[in-house]
Amino acid sequence: MAKRFEKVEISTNAEGDPVSIKRNGGKRMTVAIHERWRLEDGWGGDEEKRCYYRIQTDRGSVYDIYHELVADCWYLDRIYD
């Protein structure tokens, strides 16, 4: 099962990589970044730039999160269970 597109609070290190995720009143630490990829789409005149991360937390959960660069917001895209 997967949940999608929820705004979350992310803490990053000096390189901009996520080190923790805060959601639903709890904070989880990132123990691994399994994948990184970037999406840039200017179709239709709306520029969209996102940096995606597949992270694993200290509780064993795996999340796909992304940083919406233009708006400077972080979102939870998917939870793998």
Side-chain angles (χ1 to χ4, degrees):
M1 183 173 109
K3 296 180 183 179
R4 298 187 63 137
F5 305 116
E6 172 186 327
K7 195 170 186 179
V8 290
E9 186 179 324
I10 301 290
S11 296
T12 60
N13 61 17
E15 291 79 34
D17 293 331
V19 294
S20 70
I21 179 170
K22 191 174 183 182
R23 62 181 293 269
N24 297 335
K27 185 175 183 179
R28 293 157 181 84
M29 301 305 294
T30 301
V31 295
I33 297 175
H34 295 292
E35 224 176 315
R36 293 179 179 95
W37 66 99
R38 190 175 178 102
L39 170 74
E40 293 188 32
D41 186 10
W43 187 83
D46 294 328
E47 187 173 351
E48 194 172 347
K49 293 182 181 182
R50 295 179 182 174
C51 289
Y52 281 83
Y53 298 85
R54 181 162 295 148
I55 62 170
Q56 184 172 351
T57 69
D58 54 350
R59 294 188 184 171
S61 300
V62 177
Y63 299 149
D64 283 350
I65 59 173
Y66 67 89
H67 185 203
E68 179 65 55
L69 297 174
V70 175
D72 193 24
C73 294
W74 285 89
Y75 293 92
L76 172 63
D77 185 51
R78 184 168 289 171
I79 301 171
Y80 297 92
D81 40 330

